Structure formats: structure tokens, C-alpha cells
């Protein structure tokens, strides 16, 4: 997973793990999934806009991000303005399971580490609705690689609560979710071996700087640190996938 670290030792928000030998395939290339001049791209669960603004620096498409958090939308729009990109990058306060856009509004969409907080079937159905025929979708999400060992079920259940994970589907479950939404699956990859290092870096950074972060940011930092150091990241059953799909022409 491609990351950069801040001066506190924490990686910035992750993006698609391009280090996988197959992730660089044409199905994941921005030039092949609707990010050219005059095209529209949707970022589902955009946070404060970092991935969308990075993408805007490399492509000429118009980009819209959505987040359920109004404060995130405000900050993301402020960052777009500061970067001189407000003319083609905007962020809306909206529910990804009930998108406020007409049918066939976007040429491409991505959902990076956001669908885990939603009812995936509803979110994927909405994505299919707002994509134009032939429009492409890229997803990065957590998954359950194999049945959890009974002695670790409590660890996984605790993680789902702290991470606000609605459900943790298996690889085959994810295939069914995508096709069940009426999308055509192009590629579904288990890239867990490429993402475990990031989880370790985040946990180590959280542990190293815990005292100063809690002193500076209080309960907000304490809650986040509890997530970052959670033992679920060491379980082989806990994984990470990347999927690409498209809406039939």
C-alpha cells in the first residue's frame, strides 16, 4: 500500500496498493476508467479530500467527493480552494447510500476504505445507478480471508465495533455483492500481503507518540490510537482487497 509518513510517524491516508504486481493493470489505470478532460469522477467517502486532490493533480477530470461528515466536506472544499482546484473539484455533504445525483452522472467512481462503514449492497446499487454506461468503479476495502478461529472471534467483533465496520465479507461474498448490484466484475484481488506493513507502521507510530498525541488532542486521539493498535491487524483472517468493475454499456 502506498503511503507517506507525517512527522508524527503516522502514514497519510492510504490509497490503492499499487505495489501489487497486478494492480498496475489497465483496469486500475486512471487513463482507462474515465478520468479524462470533460469527464466526471466520484469519490465515495472522500474524507478531507486528500486522495481526490492528489488525483486532480494528475488528471483533468471534474471530481466530486461525498462524505457523511459535514465538517470533512467543509475542510475538503477549503483545501480544494487553497490548491486552486475549486473550478473542477468539489466535496458534498451526502449519504453514499442515497446519492443526491441523477442517474448516469459519472464516468468513474472509487471507494477507498469507505464501504466498510456502509451497507455495501445499498452503496453499490447507488454507484451503479449514478455511473454512466461503461463507467468504471475501483474499490479498496477490508475483507475476511477465511473463517475466524473461535479463540479470536471476540477480537474480530471488538475490531468491527471500534472501526465502525458494518460487516466483513469474504472474497466470494464480495464477488456476489458487486454482481448483485448489477455491475460487471473485472478484477478482484486479495492484496493483504501488501498492506500488512502499513498496519504495522500505523500501530508502531501510534504507540511511539501516544503520550504526546493524547496530551495534545485528548479523547479524539485516544480513541483513534485504540483503533490503530488493535490486535486484529495481526490476524491472518483479516485482509484487504481491491476490486474493479464497470456498468454494462
Amino acid at each position: 500500500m502506498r503511503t507517506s509518513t507525517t512527522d508524527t510517524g503516522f502514514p497519510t491516508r492510504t490509497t490503492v496498493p499499487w505495489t501489487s504486481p497486478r494492480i498496475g493493470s489497465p483496469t486500475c489505470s486512471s487513463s482507462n476508467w474515465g478520468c479524462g478532460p470533460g469527464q466526471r469522477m466520484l469519490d465515495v467517502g472522500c474524507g478531507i479530500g486528500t486522495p481526490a486532490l492528489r488525483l486532480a493533480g494528475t488528471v483533468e477530470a471534474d471530481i466530486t467527493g461525498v462524505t457523511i461528515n459535514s465538517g470533512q466536506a467543509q475542510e475538503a472544499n477549503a483545501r480544494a480552494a487553497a490548491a486552486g482546484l475549486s473550478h473542477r473539484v468539489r466535496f458534498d455533504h451526502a449519504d453514499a447510500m442515497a446519492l443526491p445525483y441523477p442517474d448516469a452522472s459519472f464516468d468513474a467512481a472509487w471507494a477507498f476504505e469507505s464501504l466498510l462503514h456502509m451497507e455495501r449492497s445499498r452503496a453499490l446499487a447507488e454507484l451503479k445507478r449514478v455511473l454512466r454506461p461503461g463507467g468504471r468503479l475501483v474499490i479498496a476495502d477490508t475483507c475476511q480471508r477465511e473463517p475466524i478461529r473461535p479463540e479470536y472471534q471476540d477480537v474480530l467483533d471488538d475490531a468491527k465495533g471500534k472501526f465502525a465496520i458494518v460487516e466483513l465479507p469474504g472474497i466470494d461474498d464480495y464477488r456476489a455483492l458487486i454482481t448483485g448490484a448489477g455491475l460487471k466484475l473485472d478484477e478482484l484481488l486479495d492484496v493483504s500481503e501488501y498492506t500488512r506493513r502499513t498496519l504495522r507502521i500505523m500501530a508502531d507510530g501510534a504507540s511511539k507518540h501516544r503520550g504526546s498525541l493524547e496530551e495534545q488532542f485528548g479523547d479524539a486521539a485516544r480513541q483513534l490510537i485504540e483503533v490503530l493498535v488493535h490486535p486484529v491487524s495481526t490476524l491472518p483472517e483479516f485482509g484487504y482487497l481491491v476490486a474493479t468493475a464497470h456498468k454494462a454499456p
Side-chain angles (χ1 to χ4, degrees):
M1 185 176 295
R2 179 176 293 174
T3 61
S4 58
T5 52
T6 65
D7 57 7
T8 62
F10 288 101
T12 58
R13 185 183 174 191
T14 54
T15 58
V16 169
W18 298 108
T19 51
S20 166
R22 296 181 64 199
I23 297 299
S25 66
T27 54
C28 278
S29 171
S30 61
S31 62
N32 286 283
W33 51 274
C35 285
Q39 294 180 306
R40 298 188 66 201
M41 184 267 181
L42 178 66
D43 178 358
V44 174
C46 61
I48 59 172
T50 300
L53 291 170
R54 286 178 179 170
L55 179 65
T58 61
V59 301
E60 298 181 29
D62 294 333
I63 302 172
T64 299
V66 295
T67 172
I68 198 70
N69 186 311
S70 61
Q72 288 183 343
Q74 282 186 314
E75 182 172 351
N77 279 313
R79 297 179 75 195
L85 291 168
S86 294
H87 61 293
R88 61 183 183 88
V89 181
R90 81 177 208 203
F91 300 95
D92 295 334
H93 176 216
D95 184 349
M97 295 184 292
L99 291 166
Y101 311 116
D103 296 357
S105 294
F106 297 94
D107 299 284
W110 71 24
F112 288 173
E113 301 171 9
S114 57
L115 296 185
L116 68 161
H117 304 303
M118 310 175 198
E119 185 180 333
R120 289 178 177 87
S121 59
R122 288 180 60 193
L124 287 167
E126 275 293 270
L127 281 163
K128 189 252 186 178
R129 180 183 67 80
V130 300
L131 280 172
R132 292 171 179 156
R136 292 191 176 276
L137 171 65
V138 179
I139 299 167
D141 201 356
T142 54
C143 65
Q144 186 169 327
R145 306 179 74 196
E146 56 189 65
I148 189 73
R149 288 166 286 175
E151 62 266 32
Y152 292 115
Q153 186 64 54
D154 288 345
V155 173
L156 183 61
D157 290 343
D158 183 63
K160 287 165 67 175
K162 288 181 176 175
F163 296 174
I165 297 175
V166 172
E167 196 48 77
L168 202 61
I171 296 290
D172 289 338
D173 298 325
Y174 223 100
R175 182 177 290 105
L177 282 166
I178 290 172
T179 57
L183 293 161
K184 303 295 183 181
L185 181 63
D186 296 315
E187 200 163 28
L188 181 59
L189 305 174
D190 180 348
V191 296
S192 306
E193 63 181 293
Y194 301 101
T195 61
R196 293 199 185 283
R197 178 176 176 273
T198 296
L199 293 173
R200 289 195 299 270
I201 291 172
M202 293 172 72
D204 290 346
S207 297
K208 180 179 179 181
H209 299 280
R210 183 168 196 154
S212 60
L213 288 169
E214 290 183 354
E215 182 178 351
Q216 184 175 0
F217 299 107
D219 285 341
R222 190 172 300 110
Q223 292 171 14
L224 177 59
I225 290 167
E226 287 301 317
V227 170
L228 295 175
V229 301
H230 200 281
V232 73
S233 62
T234 65
L235 298 182
E237 294 91 345
F238 186 78
Y240 198 95
L241 62 79
V242 172
T244 58
H246 71 277
K247 182 174 179 177

